[in-house]
Amino acid sequence: MLLGFSTTLLLRPIGSALFGHYGDKLGRRNTLLMTLSGLGASSALSAALPTYGQVGLLAFGLYVTLRGAVGLFAGGEYAAGHPFAMEQVTPKWRGTFAGWVQSGWPLGSGLAGTVILLFERWLGPGMYAVGWRYVFLTGLIPVALGLAVRLAMRDTPLFQELKKIGKVERTPFFNLFKPPTLWNFLQVLLVTTGAAINSYAILMAMLNLIPAAAKAPAEMMALLLLIYGWVGLPLDIISGTLTDFAGRRRLFIYTSIIYGILTIPILYEYSIGFIHGIVNYVYLGLILMMLSDCLMWGSMPAYLTERFPTGRRASGVGFGYSAGLIIPAFTSYYIYYLHTTLSAIEGPIPWLTTAIYFIIGFILFGIGAYLGPETRNIDLREIK
C-alpha cells in the first residue's frame, strides 16, 4: 500500500514535466482534457483490479502500475489546471480564486471520507471484499462533470495572445533550467517541498500512522479524513483571500514562525487525545494543523502562477509543485525509522517524530518564502 502511494507521488513530477510541456505548447485546455481522461481511465481500471488470491504477485504489479498512472495524470492536472484558472482572474482577487481552486483538494478528501463511511455502513465487512471497487468507480462522477465543463470553455487569453504573436516556446520545460527562471524554480522548490512535507505529515502520520499506533477503529480514521476535507475547504478559501490583503510572502513567513513554535505542543495534545480517549483533543489537534496546511496551500495556485512567465508557466507551475513531492513521497518511512530512535521518549505513538518532521517542513517553507519576492497584484504579462 505504501509503495503504491509513494509511486503515485514519484510519478507526479514526470507527469508535470510531460503535460506541462504540452500545456505550454498546445494550450492549457487541450492538455487538461488529456489529463482528466487519463485519471478517469485509471480510476475505472483500479475498480477492476484482480486480487492476490486470483493472480498472485501480478495483482500487486498492476496496482502499483495504476497508482503510477494516477500520479502521472495528476501531475499533468496541476501543471495545466492552475495556470488555466489563474490566467483568467483579475490580479486583485487572484488569491481568493486560488483558495477556491485549492479547496478542491480538501473537498475531494471530504467526499472520499463520506463515500467510504457510507459504503462501510452499507456493506459492513463486505466493504473489504467488493465495496472498495464501488468506491473507485465513484471517481468517474467528477471526471465526467470536469470533462463537460472543460469542453465548453476556451483556452486562456494569455496563451491565445502568446500563440497569436508566435511566441510559443519550442522547449518550455527545458527552458525552466535557464537563468533567471532557474532561480525562480529553485526558490519555488523550497516552498513546495516544505508545504508538501506539512501535507503528508497530516495525511500519513496524523490520519494514518498515529491512529493506527493508538489502535483507533477504521471508522474513526475515515471520520478524521472527512473532517480534514470539510473543515479544510473553507480554510483554504479564507487563507487565499487573506493573501490578497496581507500578501503571499508575509503570510507564508508568519505561518512558518508561528507553527514552528506551536507544533510540538499541538502534536502532544493530539496524542493525549488518543491515549486517554478524549476525542475533542484529537479533533482540535487535527484542525489546528490543518490550519497551517491551508495557510501554506490556500494561495499556492496564484503564487506559483505568479513566479513563471506565460511561455513556460504550465511547466514551471506543474514541475515546481510536483518536484516538491519527491522528498515527502517517503514520509511514512522517515517517520517509521525516526520513531525507532525516539520511541523511548514518545512511547508507541510517534507524536514527537511527527512534530519534528513538521518543523523541518516549516523551516524549508519559511526560507523559500523569504528568498522570493512578494507577488500579490503582479501583472502576469510582465513576468520574465
Side-chain angles (χ1 to χ4, degrees):
M1 184 68 73
L2 291 178
L3 179 59
F5 187 80
S6 297
T7 302
T8 302
L9 296 185
L10 289 173
L11 266 290
R12 280 194 178 190
I14 297 174
S16 290
L18 176 65
F19 291 108
H21 174 84
Y22 286 119
D24 287 324
K25 294 275 290 181
L26 305 177
R28 320 320 189 196
R29 174 185 175 274
N30 292 336
T31 304
L32 285 170
L33 294 174
M34 290 188 283
T35 56
L36 192 57
S37 298
L39 280 173
S42 301
S43 181
L45 290 171
S46 295
L49 277 171
T51 64
Y52 180 83
Q54 292 171 322
V55 297
L57 286 175
L58 178 60
F60 178 72
L62 290 171
Y63 164 73
V64 172
T65 300
L66 284 175
R67 294 311 303 169
V70 169
L72 193 76
F73 290 113
E77 272 287 298
Y78 206 101
H82 284 19
F84 182 75
M86 294 297 100
E87 287 178 349
Q88 305 190 67
V89 177
T90 176
K92 182 179 179 181
W93 297 110
R94 197 178 290 135
T96 301
F97 278 86
W100 281 98
V101 170
Q102 189 63 34
S103 69
W105 170 268
L107 174 61
S109 299
L111 288 172
T114 302
V115 168
I116 292 169
L117 276 175
L118 289 174
F119 274 104
E120 282 183 341
R121 292 181 179 180
W122 176 36
L123 298 173
M127 172 67 177
Y128 302 98
V130 69
W132 61 272
R133 298 185 187 275
Y134 300 140
V135 173
F136 273 112
L137 286 174
T138 61
L140 293 175
I141 298 172
V143 168
L145 293 173
L147 285 173
V149 170
R150 290 172 184 182
L151 284 167
M153 297 183 71
R154 296 181 178 180
D155 218 322
T156 70
L158 268 69
F159 181 79
Q160 292 184 51
E161 290 173 14
L162 200 72
K163 188 175 180 180
K164 186 175 181 179
I165 62 176
K167 293 290 185 179
V168 174
E169 298 185 9
R170 293 183 59 189
T171 55
F173 174 74
F174 294 104
N175 290 344
L176 282 180
F177 306 103
K178 297 178 181 178
T181 309
L182 173 61
W183 316 131
N184 294 353
F185 171 75
L186 293 175
Q187 178 265 323
V188 159
L189 185 60
L190 273 177
V191 170
T192 55
T193 299
I197 286 174
N198 189 80
S199 293
Y200 289 104
I202 294 175
L203 285 169
M204 299 307 297
M206 294 188 74
L207 298 185
N208 286 282
L209 297 178
I210 291 177
K215 296 181 172 54
E219 187 167 312
M220 171 79 168
M221 296 168 75
L223 180 61
L224 291 176
L225 180 62
L226 188 150
I227 292 171
Y228 171 80
W230 293 117
V231 176
L233 192 154
L235 290 180
D236 268 331
I237 297 168
I238 293 168
S239 170
T241 303
L242 279 175
T243 66
D244 282 331
F245 297 92
R248 329 266 194 243
R249 182 175 180 269
R250 180 184 299 174
L251 190 67
F252 288 173
I253 293 172
Y254 285 173
T255 297
S256 301
I257 295 171
I258 293 170
Y259 272 93
I261 297 169
L262 295 180
T263 293
I264 289 179
I266 291 173
L267 265 292
Y268 178 71
E269 174 260 348
Y270 187 69
S271 70
I272 290 295
F274 281 107
I275 293 169
H276 296 291
I278 309 173
V279 293
N280 287 340
Y281 280 20
V282 174
Y283 299 153
L284 177 61
L286 177 60
I287 291 170
L288 287 173
M289 294 313 296
M290 283 168 49
L291 176 60
S292 75
D293 198 53
C294 294
L295 289 170
M296 297 166 97
W297 283 107
S299 63
M300 193 66 76
Y303 183 74
L304 296 183
T305 298
E306 292 160 349
R307 297 298 288 126
F308 297 100
T310 303
R312 61 196 75 158
R313 181 167 292 130
S315 299
V317 170
F319 198 65
Y321 164 73
S322 295
L325 301 178
I326 294 174
I327 292 175
F330 302 98
T331 292
S332 297
Y333 300 98
Y334 304 146
I335 291 177
Y336 174 80
Y337 287 111
L338 184 56
H339 175 57
T340 61
T341 303
L342 297 176
S343 59
I345 300 173
E346 61 186 356
I349 297 178
W351 68 270
L352 182 58
T353 297
T354 303
I356 292 171
Y357 189 61
F358 267 118
I359 291 169
I360 292 170
F362 290 128
I363 291 171
L364 292 176
F365 184 79
I367 292 172
Y370 178 79
L371 293 175
E374 177 53 62
T375 61
R376 179 183 55 159
N377 292 333
I378 194 170
D379 187 340
L380 297 181
R381 291 178 175 84
E382 296 178 358
I383 301 172
K384 304 298 182 184

